[in-house]
Amino acid sequence: MNQKGSSMPAQCFLGVDLGAESGRVLAGRLHDNKIQLEEIYRFSNGPVPLAGTRRWNVTGLWSSILKGLTLAAQKYGDQIVSVGVDTWGVDYVLLSEKQEMLGQPYHYRDPRTEGMLNLATSRVPQQEIFDATGLQFMEINTLYQLLAMQQTDPELLQQARTFLMIPDFFHWLLSGSQVVEFTNATTTQCLNPLTGDWAYDLLRKLEIPTSLLPKLVSPGTKLGTLREEVMQYTGLRKIDVITPATHDTASAVAAIPTSQTGTPNWAYISSGTWSLMGVEVNSAVLGKRAFELNFTNEGGIDGTYRLLKNIMGLWLVQECKRSYERQGQTMEYSELAEAAASAEPFRSLVDPDDPRFLSPSDMLEAISKYCKESSQPVPETPGQYIRCALESLALKYRKVSGWLEELTGTPIEVIHIVGGGTKNELLNQFTANACQIPVITGPVEATGLGNVLVQARAAGAVSSLSEIRNIVLNSIETKRYEPQEKTVWEQAIQRFDSLLNNNKVKS
């Protein structure tokens, strides 16, 4: 931050952070090279069952956002400089020529995309799709959602005049802008990382209309000021609407307190329902090996890419907890972690990314079947189930870290873990043990911090990505985990490798 700004009153930047289970309106107050993040308003989110489909209630979310902005205006008034929205990736809203929303937006777990990946690769070779987009193959990707719509509801798709990702939709409601921000666009499998523009040739081959795709903008773009109606409703003055890195993981990675910006010798894990593990690189990593390993290149700050892999993450633990609750056993996460810590090590292992764990009706049953089919002891207690999930996750992190080193040619020296998973100390230590390199955790609120600090940079209060990360380091406490138990974890790695090979799972 400029020295002359150090004695200025705190500036306030509002971040709207929408996750798959909840949303928040946050206030980030920047002063004396430190950022203080405050939760102004939290509200629930999640899929809405609608006539056999899964949808997002975006109008309900907008109502909650307005309430949060109203509370922020009452508390911070003229200190507020700007507002920006980040969300999950892949999902979108379609607008008609008259700016009407065409249907209730689909949730990425809606089953309509089943079989769409196979349909796409029957029309265009899989390697060609990867070369054109650099993205891993998951049926939840926007590309397959649009293909599903083309198959089942082509009339509605033909009516569409504007395609907006979820955060861009809310930026439109805030300011009237109709653009798509780069980091979230890279999650669609509709963007070419070599050109930095939409993958027009690929989309035409798949007969997906391209005329509805708006201009792409970078993180930190000023979209305009608040609509008059939003100002009147919330009491906010005519503040700027600024795109943060609108994909939540891109915002989280921007806030990792590393001193090694610009080099791929550190890895990150954004740990939550999903674990996203990767490195920050200056250009997309394409080619046959990245394709074989099903890695993805998602956009970051300043034109960087996050070479990463999606791992099922703490979804396994969350769903085990839900399964127990349905049986009448209610346990806190802290109780489950304590039970796992005292359970027998390496009794049972699973591949967290086996398709059966994506959306099972009962996670306990899914894990039991996997163990039975792979001739392992079936977990019997909560501690055994949770330990199985956590050890398996740590071992998958080890696999992915090895692949990252192979793809970049650079050894990883430290792993930074951010997000809600930083609270799971057992998993953090398992990760250090499995990877045999130090793990540093924090911040928990990486996404929110990244959101508001990118806005601060756009406002001229911060000068660079390195300075953003230095401000985060000045503002939070981190925790370091040193690797332990090398021999037993090396033995577990060999067993895990054998398990993946025997089950012929493409990891």
Side-chain angles (χ1 to χ4, degrees):
M1 191 190 306
N2 297 331
Q3 289 300 312
K4 66 181 180 180
S6 61
S7 60
M8 294 173 63
Q11 293 177 291
C12 184
F13 303 89
L14 301 182
V16 179
D17 173 34
L18 301 180
E21 293 186 337
S22 65
R24 289 129 6 113
V25 174
L26 306 165
R29 300 180 71 231
L30 184 62
H31 185 59
D32 286 344
N33 212 34
K34 289 186 177 181
I35 184 79
Q36 181 181 2
L37 197 66
E38 177 188 356
E39 185 177 291
I40 300 293
Y41 183 58
R42 178 184 284 268
F43 45 93
S44 62
N45 190 22
V48 179
L50 193 66
T53 67
R54 292 186 185 185
R55 310 287 183 125
W56 292 110
N57 180 12
V58 291
T59 52
L61 290 174
W62 176 238
S63 177
S64 296
I65 290 168
L66 288 173
K67 182 173 181 179
L69 295 179
T70 302
L71 294 171
Q74 292 169 358
K75 186 161 189 178
Y76 290 113
D78 289 345
Q79 293 180 40
I80 298 170
V81 176
S82 63
V83 61
V85 183
D86 70 77
T87 76
W88 63 95
V90 308
D91 290 335
Y92 60 90
V93 176
L94 296 177
L95 300 179
S96 72
E97 189 171 357
K98 293 185 177 180
Q99 311 295 292
E100 289 288 339
M101 192 167 63
L102 292 173
Q104 198 75 4
Y106 281 94
H107 186 283
Y108 59 83
R109 291 190 194 273
D110 184 85
R112 81 195 193 288
T113 58
E114 290 175 8
M116 290 301 110
L117 199 160
N118 289 337
L119 177 61
T121 55
S122 71
R123 296 181 180 179
V124 181
Q126 200 164 357
Q127 177 78 59
E128 186 177 331
I129 295 175
F130 182 79
D131 290 343
T133 63
L135 211 73
Q136 67 188 337
F137 290 86
M138 301 176 71
E139 283 198 318
I140 65 174
N141 292 348
T142 317
L143 181 65
Y144 310 115
Q145 295 198 41
L146 289 170
L147 194 57
M149 193 171 190
Q150 177 216 72
Q151 295 295 299
T152 60
D153 202 351
E155 295 84 4
L156 195 64
L157 189 58
Q158 287 170 8
Q159 290 179 44
R161 292 296 176 268
T162 308
F163 165 97
L164 296 173
M165 304 292 287
I166 298 292
D168 306 304
F169 170 72
F170 289 115
H171 285 146
W172 170 63
L173 291 175
L174 287 165
S175 69
S177 76
Q178 291 189 346
V179 296
V180 172
E181 187 274 323
F182 168 72
T183 64
N184 221 316
T186 62
T187 72
T188 61
Q189 210 163 23
C190 299
L191 182 135
N192 187 318
L194 298 180
T195 65
D197 203 349
W198 298 108
Y200 291 111
D201 290 345
L202 171 65
L203 295 171
R204 290 187 189 109
K205 287 179 181 179
L206 293 172
E207 300 176 0
I208 293 171
T210 59
S211 59
L212 48 76
L213 298 173
K215 174 186 172 184
L216 293 162
V217 299
S218 301
T221 299
K222 293 185 180 182
L223 301 178
T225 55
L226 286 183
R227 290 178 186 258
E228 188 68 34
E229 67 200 60
V230 176
M231 289 189 287
Q232 290 180 2
Y233 188 95
T234 62
L236 287 166
R237 60 187 178 86
K238 201 171 189 177
I239 62 171
D240 288 326
V241 178
I242 294 176
T243 60
T246 61
H247 187 225
D248 48 15
T249 307
S251 273
V253 172
I256 289 173
T258 178
S259 60
Q260 298 167 298
T261 295
T263 61
N265 62 351
W266 58 279
Y268 59 83
I269 301 173
S270 180
S271 181
T273 300
W274 290 91
S275 288
L276 291 89
M277 184 176 191
V279 293
E280 190 173 74
V281 292
N282 292 321
S283 57
V285 177
L286 306 174
K288 185 177 180 182
R289 188 58 176 153
F291 165 70
E292 289 171 349
L293 294 172
N294 201 24
F295 267 74
T296 200
N297 292 272
E298 294 180 356
I301 302 295
D302 296 342
T304 59
Y305 277 85
R306 293 171 287 116
L307 176 65
L308 65 86
K309 196 164 185 63
N310 281 55
I311 303 165
M312 204 74 77
L314 288 167
W315 168 254
L316 279 78
V317 174
Q318 293 165 357
E319 286 299 294
C320 283
K321 182 175 183 286
R322 270 190 274 270
S323 292
Y324 278 118
E325 286 171 351
R326 285 194 294 269
Q327 296 174 12
Q329 276 185 273
T330 301
M331 287 176 284
E332 299 298 324
Y333 284 117
S334 57
E335 294 177 85
L336 291 172
E338 189 176 332
S342 59
E344 178 186 347
F346 308 116
R347 184 174 184 269
S348 312
L349 299 172
V350 300
D351 177 10
D353 295 319
D354 187 286
R356 75 186 78 196
F357 301 134
L358 180 62
S359 191
S361 57
D362 187 308
M363 185 63 79
L364 301 177
E365 183 181 337
I367 290 174
S368 296
K369 284 185 176 179
Y370 186 103
C371 292
K372 191 176 296 183
E373 289 172 13
S374 55
S375 302
Q376 299 182 91
V378 173
E380 298 173 352
T381 66
Q384 289 174 353
Y385 275 104
I386 302 305
R387 184 153 191 140
C388 168
L390 296 181
E391 288 177 338
S392 299
L393 272 177
L395 290 166
K396 196 59 182 278
Y397 298 157
R398 166 64 177 257
K399 290 289 292 183
V400 173
S401 67
W403 290 329
L404 286 166
E405 291 178 338
E406 178 187 347
L407 291 171
T408 63
T410 305
I412 293 170
E413 299 171 3
V414 63
I415 296 173
H416 287 267
I417 299 180
V418 297
T422 58
K423 299 175 184 178
N424 194 315
E425 296 191 355
L426 189 60
L427 177 58
N428 299 336
Q429 186 61 60
F430 284 172
T431 303
N433 294 353
C435 298
Q436 282 299 299
I437 52 178
V439 165
I440 298 174
T441 60
V444 175
E445 295 286 3
T447 298
L449 289 168
N451 179 321
V452 298
L453 283 168
V454 167
Q455 292 183 58
R457 189 174 79 161
V462 180
S463 63
S464 66
L465 178 56
S466 293
E467 189 176 358
I468 284 175
R469 288 169 169 164
N470 188 55
I471 289 170
V472 174
L473 186 59
N474 290 340
S475 307
I476 66 156
E477 291 185 6
T478 59
K479 184 169 181 178
R480 186 180 178 98
Y481 297 80
E482 296 293 343
Q484 303 170 1
E485 301 177 335
K486 181 176 182 178
T487 302
V488 294
W489 278 90
E490 289 291 347
Q491 292 170 350
I493 289 159
Q494 293 177 18
R495 184 175 146 207
F496 188 70
D497 286 346
S498 176
L499 183 69
L500 296 190
N501 292 334
N502 289 342
N503 282 277
K504 297 179 181 178
V505 176
K506 184 177 180 182
S507 301

